[in-house]
Amino acid sequence: MMKVLIIGASRGIGLECVRQYTREGAQVLATARSDEGLHKITALGAKALRLDVADPQSVSGLAWMLEGEKLDLALYVAGVYTQSGATTPPTREEFDRTMHTNVLGAMQTIPQVAPLVEEAQGKFIVITSGMGSIGEAESSFGWTYRVSKAALNMAVIAAQHDYPKALLLPICPGWVRTDMGGPHASISVEESVAAMRKTIAAMTAKDKGKYFHHDGRVYSSW
Ligand SMILES: NC(=O)c1ccc[n+]([C@@H]2O[C@H](COP(=O)([O-])OP(=O)(O)OC[C@H]3O[C@@H](n4cnc5c(N)ncnc54)[C@H](OP(=O)(O)O)[C@@H]3O)[C@@H](O)[C@H]2O)c1
């Protein structure tokens, strides 16, 4: 039975990943930082683990919580958005919150989780954003968020070299109707996750170093 870990699964894309992978028959472990989030995960039949990715002490307990596991798939989904552009300097608080959640959390998670993914010769997929593409940046809208996702892409692609038996790749979920994407986004959370599941299932070692759209297209530039 496929074993899947989903990091940041209290709502939105992460919770939908729990729903769809559980329905597919996978054994799902999923994390949240609130009681409410943990309850939503267990209600879907998955095992819930408490984790705040922006708190290094909390993240340092992850390897212990996962001791002995072999993971066919790990998904890093947790993320926060910051709206302002380059005409307003980011506050230190906003910058730290965004970078700690989107980048530091992933960088602290990878060394703990990637060895468990290697055990199963599995995949470690990180949910990034097209807004992190330097080549496709058409405005500064979401400036700090863009910077964080560009940094996240580098973290993932660089880490691949240390975990050759696993596949580490970034994927953009599309513009999705969640709390973050808002009600006017172009696709539903069900569509986004269904498309990403298909794309992830088709990824092979020859895809190392690529940057994926949810529907399997590859970004032409970073
Ligand atoms: N929606 C879009 O259009 C879109 C587009 C491109 C990329 N993305 C990316 O997709 C991912 C999921 O986004 P979403 O749309 O599902 O957003 P969302 O509905 O706002 O959900 C964000 C998730 O991240 C979790 N999270 C935030 N900070 C955390 C922390 N410190 N520790 C643990 N979990 C934390 C939240 O948990 P809490 O409930 O505890 O806050 C929640 O589960 C993010 O990485 C986002 O950048 C989304």
Side-chain angles (χ1 to χ4, degrees):
M1 185 191 279
M2 177 156 102
K3 197 170 269 195
V4 181
L5 171 69
I6 301 159
I7 297 167
S10 64
R11 56 197 165 94
I13 293 166
L15 189 63
E16 183 61 19
C17 287
V18 176
R19 188 173 290 117
Q20 293 195 21
Y21 279 108
T22 304
R23 200 168 56 204
E24 187 182 288
Q27 190 181 342
V28 176
L29 312 167
T31 80
R33 56 180 168 165
S34 64
D35 288 341
E36 194 194 346
L38 294 166
H39 288 140
K40 284 195 251 172
I41 291 165
T42 45
L44 291 174
K47 183 176 173 187
L49 307 170
R50 189 183 295 274
L51 183 71
D52 181 342
V53 301
D55 173 2
Q57 209 181 334
S58 175
V59 187
S60 69
L62 189 58
W64 173 78
M65 286 193 272
L66 296 172
E67 202 180 336
E69 298 286 2
K70 288 183 185 177
L71 300 169
D72 299 290
L73 175 63
L75 289 168
Y76 188 91
V77 190
V80 290
Y81 182 70
T82 35
Q83 189 119 13
S84 53
T87 52
T88 317
T91 63
R92 171 81 176 265
E93 188 194 25
E94 176 188 278
F95 183 85
D96 285 355
R97 189 175 70 94
T98 310
M99 295 299 277
H100 287 178
T101 309
N102 299 0
V103 188
L104 180 61
M107 293 175 78
Q108 290 187 325
T109 301
I110 286 170
Q112 298 187 71
V113 174
L116 311 180
V117 176
E118 276 204 305
E119 288 277 326
Q121 302 200 348
K123 298 169 185 173
F124 192 142
I125 307 300
V126 173
I127 309 293
T128 181
S129 166
M131 289 179 73
S133 165
I134 292 173
E136 294 187 17
E138 76 298 339
S139 81
S140 72
F141 187 76
W143 197 28
T144 304
Y145 179 77
R146 286 178 185 277
V147 168
S148 75
K149 293 295 190 179
L152 176 63
N153 289 344
M154 173 56 89
V156 176
I157 294 301
Q160 173 68 78
H161 298 284
D162 293 314
Y163 305 102
K165 286 185 260 159
L167 189 56
L168 276 73
L169 286 171
I171 189 169
C172 171
W175 185 25
V176 190
R177 290 189 290 275
T178 60
D179 293 340
M180 185 184 293
H184 305 298
S186 45
I187 54 173
S188 69
V189 72
E190 292 83 3
E191 285 173 272
S192 168
V193 172
M196 286 198 288
R197 278 174 45 234
K198 203 170 153 196
T199 299
I200 291 167
M203 290 169 174
T204 66
K206 67 177 182 335
D207 293 317
K208 281 181 184 176
K210 293 182 184 168
Y211 176 8
F212 280 91
H213 288 273
H214 65 290
D215 55 9
R217 285 173 299 131
V218 174
Y219 279 87
S220 53
S221 97
W222 287 89

